[in-house]
Amino acid sequence: MSSLPEKLTPAEYLEMLRAEQSSPTSPPESTADIIPVNLIGQNGQAADVIAPPPSPPPKPPGEPADASGSDSATDSGDAGDGGATAGSDSVYVNSGRGGVVRKPRRPASEVARGDKHLTELFERVNALLGEREGDEEEPFRPPVPKTLLETGLTAEEIERLVMKYLLQRGAASGREICSQIKLPFAMIEPLLKAWKQEQVLAHKGAAEMGDYIYLITERGRERARRYADECTYFGAAPVSLRDYLRAMEAQSIAHQQATEADLKRAFSDLLISEEMFERLGPAINSGRGMFLFGEPGNGKTSIAERITQCFGKAIWIPRTLGIDGDIIRLFDPGVHEEVTDEAGEGLFDLSGVDQRWVRVVRPTIVAGGELTMAELEVTQNLQTKICEAPLQLKSNCGTLVIDDFGRQTMPVDVLLNRWIVPLEKRYDFLNLPSGKKIQVPFDQLIIFSTNLEPRDLVDGAFLRRIPYKIQVPDPCREHFVKLFEIMAPKMGLVYNEDAVEYLIREHYEKPQRPFRNCQPRDLLLQIRNYCAYREKPKEMTPESFDFAVANYFSVM
């Protein structure tokens, strides 16, 4: 197997394997095996001109040719006589004091055969280079930064993160440090050496792949404590505001167009009328905002939560933002669902993605009656000095649902005045703890879901900025019956059409009770629990419906 350079970075090794995969039979000269040949002249001196390889003896008549169809001899031979035999594809080169034969390298898969680790690595690289089914073209994908300038950070900012991490950890290898702050090892290694020269770090021992285990010194501890007093954060290195704005522009929902097929796919698990689809489609494509109003229990929140699926599956967001020394945590596992990728696992990161970013499902953030004004501004923890991003920033390129609008602890006028300009201009201003004010995109579909009439909540100026007001009506009789038919198997119950007709006749038509979309599910839950308690077969009967209705509508 060919000898590799003393230090071969994963990117270089990946490029080498990519070249071999694309043209295994005609590799570039730099990746060929170099085999010395002792071609000595009769006077005992090295020949200046290398003679061509001797022609093989002619084959006897009738002898079959090689399977490859060529007359070349085998590559291996006895070199004890001072010569070397080579195939017809070998190239002789005059290299001064003796010739060399350049022989084509075997395919990478053949080279790796017999070595478990190389085989696994080759298979992963091959899978990465090949097209994977289901991959969608992404409008934005953060590349791995190659220089410190591309990160938007300074060496001092990286030093703060590393020192605070080692203050808590004590000692860690260089690659463990890079995994913590999500930056490439090739970029951080020179900084580690420089900090060792400053005697804030020391070598504790050797680690794999030419790495070292770094130990923080007492001088480094003093420096790290000062950094921790300013801010305790030592996670992923922050992303600059400039890079964040570029990413949001590329992934904006304003660039997305939902079709009828997109809506039906997103709402496949809900029973929606064609009339409702006709009203929702243009409202979603506007990318602005809408009111969903109607009686409670008709599925306003369920509709709002599924609208985001019409805009595509996933986006890239930074884990944290760094703005003039303030650390703003943007990725929130409580509201963001991370999309994992196996390509980034292992010793080598083959994803080609800046690990300071995380791929998440397009966010759908629901805020109900618990919403406060503090959640709409940048807030700082006074102990850790770490800032938390507001809800509208976390929901960029997705959907922000204000559920039970009008029932928040803050007055409706206060909320509307806070957002009246962002809804019109599509950007927002945020105040940072440092006193600086920044402009950020207000790029999400705002959905106000309420049981109240919109005109009773807000004035005309605000209604003008919410162009779509969609009423979610009560279901018709046909849809109401269909909901029982759909939900019964999911509840483990046997569907009984006669029992449903009895329910509608006795408990809806006679008392003139309106249908609600949530009632089939709620009543069937009551029946399932009733049958389990009485140890009866799980089926819908008039008796079980009487019991469920008596409980469910006792105060309604």
Side-chain angles (χ1 to χ4, degrees):
M1 187 163 58
S2 62
S3 60
L4 300 176
E6 293 183 1
K7 280 193 175 183
L8 191 65
T9 65
E12 292 169 340
Y13 187 54
L14 179 63
E15 185 64 29
M16 184 182 71
L17 292 181
R18 183 185 289 112
E20 293 172 353
Q21 186 187 40
S22 60
S23 56
T25 58
S26 301
E29 188 171 294
S30 61
T31 61
D33 284 326
I34 301 179
I35 304 177
V37 178
N38 295 324
L39 294 179
I40 308 299
Q42 293 180 355
N43 57 0
Q45 301 294 327
D48 292 332
V49 179
I50 307 304
S55 301
K59 296 182 179 295
E63 182 176 338
D66 292 343
S68 61
S70 65
D71 295 332
S72 61
T74 59
D75 289 337
S76 60
D78 185 6
D81 57 356
T85 58
S88 60
D89 292 335
S90 303
V91 179
Y92 281 77
V93 179
N94 183 3
S95 63
R97 298 189 60 192
V100 296
V101 177
R102 294 194 182 273
K103 160 175 98 168
R105 179 191 295 274
R106 290 173 290 165
S109 58
E110 188 177 330
V111 171
R113 186 176 297 126
D115 189 311
K116 178 181 177 182
H117 298 292
L118 282 178
T119 302
E120 291 177 356
L121 179 60
F122 175 76
E123 290 175 353
R124 292 180 64 192
V125 173
N126 190 45
L128 178 66
L129 297 179
E131 295 181 1
R132 292 175 290 181
E133 294 183 2
D135 280 1
E136 297 180 355
E137 183 179 353
E138 294 179 310
F140 173 80
R141 188 176 179 88
V144 176
K146 298 180 180 178
T147 64
L148 196 60
L149 181 63
E150 292 181 6
T151 65
L153 300 170
T154 63
E156 290 74 16
E157 290 174 315
I158 297 177
E159 178 186 338
R160 290 171 178 267
L161 297 174
V162 173
M163 293 300 165
K164 286 184 286 185
Y165 172 60
L166 290 178
L167 179 64
Q168 298 295 324
R169 180 75 181 270
S173 68
R175 285 184 170 83
E176 288 175 335
I177 294 173
C178 294
S179 177
Q180 173 68 19
I181 65 176
K182 308 297 183 185
L183 289 175
F185 179 70
M187 182 188 303
I188 301 302
E189 186 180 22
L191 296 177
L192 294 172
K193 293 180 179 178
W195 297 329
K196 182 180 179 296
Q197 293 294 325
E198 295 179 19
Q199 297 183 356
V200 294
L201 296 181
H203 285 168
K204 182 180 180 181
E208 59 185 0
M209 300 291 291
D211 194 6
Y212 295 95
I213 298 176
Y214 291 89
L215 177 71
I216 188 169
T217 64
E218 189 58 36
R219 182 179 181 181
R221 288 180 181 275
E222 294 177 2
R223 186 179 298 185
R225 291 190 186 100
R226 293 198 303 269
Y227 293 154
D229 290 339
E230 299 173 3
C231 179
T232 62
Y233 179 80
F234 56 83
V239 173
S240 67
L241 179 62
R242 178 195 59 190
D243 292 340
Y244 172 72
L245 296 178
R246 187 183 301 118
M248 293 301 102
E249 172 62 25
Q251 302 173 109
S252 171
I253 61 172
H255 302 156
Q256 307 293 324
Q257 294 295 320
T259 64
E260 184 178 1
D262 294 331
L263 258 70
K264 291 188 175 181
R265 182 173 59 253
F267 291 90
S268 60
D269 60 336
L270 294 182
L271 190 61
I272 304 292
S273 65
E274 290 296 329
E275 181 182 358
M276 179 60 67
F277 277 129
E278 292 295 326
R279 301 192 65 185
L280 283 174
I284 293 172
N285 279 335
S286 71
R288 300 294 296 274
M290 71 174 78
F291 266 110
L292 286 179
F293 66 97
E295 296 296 331
N298 276 339
K300 297 181 296 297
T301 304
S302 297
I303 291 174
E305 290 174 345
R306 286 160 176 78
I307 284 177
T308 314
Q309 300 177 23
C310 302
F311 294 126
K313 293 183 178 180
I315 61 170
W316 292 92
I317 63 172
R319 299 177 188 273
T320 55
L321 289 174
I323 305 174
D324 293 345
D326 287 322
I327 300 293
I328 303 176
R329 186 165 49 196
L330 185 62
F331 172 62
D332 185 352
V335 297
H336 293 130
E337 180 183 350
E338 183 176 0
V339 179
T340 57
D341 188 355
E342 295 182 357
E345 299 178 357
L347 182 61
F348 288 162
D349 176 22
L350 303 177
S351 65
V353 172
D354 187 347
Q355 295 301 306
R356 297 177 299 160
W357 296 72
V358 58
R359 191 167 185 248
V360 300
V361 176
R362 278 194 182 264
T364 300
I365 298 180
V366 181
E370 75 283 358
L371 179 66
T372 62
M373 183 58 68
E375 295 178 272
L376 305 181
E377 303 291 346
V378 176
T379 56
Q380 185 184 56
N381 187 305
L382 298 180
Q383 281 72 40
T384 64
K385 306 298 176 61
I386 301 174
C387 300
E388 191 73 22
L391 290 181
Q392 64 269 28
L393 203 65
K394 293 179 180 179
S395 63
N396 268 338
C397 300
T399 303
L400 178 58
V401 181
I402 308 300
D403 203 9
D404 291 329
F405 181 60
R407 303 186 187 277
Q408 281 71 30
T409 55
M410 74 177 83
V412 173
D413 293 342
V414 175
L415 177 62
L416 299 184
N417 291 335
R418 173 65 181 83
W419 277 350
I420 196 167
V421 172
L423 284 170
E424 178 78 18
K425 302 296 185 181
R426 305 295 294 169
Y427 58 79
D428 192 14
F429 288 99
L430 298 177
N431 296 311
L432 301 182
S434 62
K436 185 176 182 178
K437 179 174 286 190
I438 60 171
Q439 179 178 321
V440 295
F442 192 80
D443 185 59
Q444 63 278 111
L445 182 63
I446 299 287
I447 300 177
F448 297 93
S449 174
T450 179
N451 303 329
L452 308 175
E453 186 70 27
R455 70 170 67 95
D456 298 333
L457 289 173
V458 297
D459 57 14
F462 190 80
L463 286 175
R464 179 179 64 83
R465 290 170 170 82
I466 305 295
Y468 293 91
K469 299 89 176 173
I470 300 176
Q471 182 178 12
V472 182
D474 295 334
C476 63
R477 181 190 176 99
E478 179 185 358
H479 277 192
F480 192 69
V481 173
K482 186 68 174 178
L483 286 171
F484 277 102
E485 187 178 344
I486 294 173
M487 294 302 299
K490 295 182 179 180
M491 299 289 181
L493 298 172
V494 178
Y495 176 72
N496 187 333
E497 184 177 357
D498 294 337
V500 175
E501 291 296 331
Y502 167 82
L503 169 71
I504 295 175
R505 183 178 64 254
E506 296 297 326
H507 297 290
Y508 281 91
E509 292 179 348
K510 286 185 178 181
Q512 297 183 351
R513 182 176 286 132
F515 296 134
R516 298 284 189 264
N517 282 317
C518 67
Q519 291 170 356
R521 176 201 61 197
D522 297 342
L523 291 173
L524 290 178
L525 279 173
Q526 297 250 6
I527 292 175
R528 186 181 67 179
N529 296 333
Y530 171 76
C531 293
Y533 173 74
R534 297 293 297 271
E535 296 183 348
K536 289 186 174 183
K538 294 182 179 181
E539 58 183 3
M540 297 168 5
T541 63
E543 178 189 0
S544 61
F545 270 125
D546 289 338
F547 173 83
V549 169
N551 283 332
Y552 192 73
F553 294 108
S554 60
V555 292
M556 297 173 66

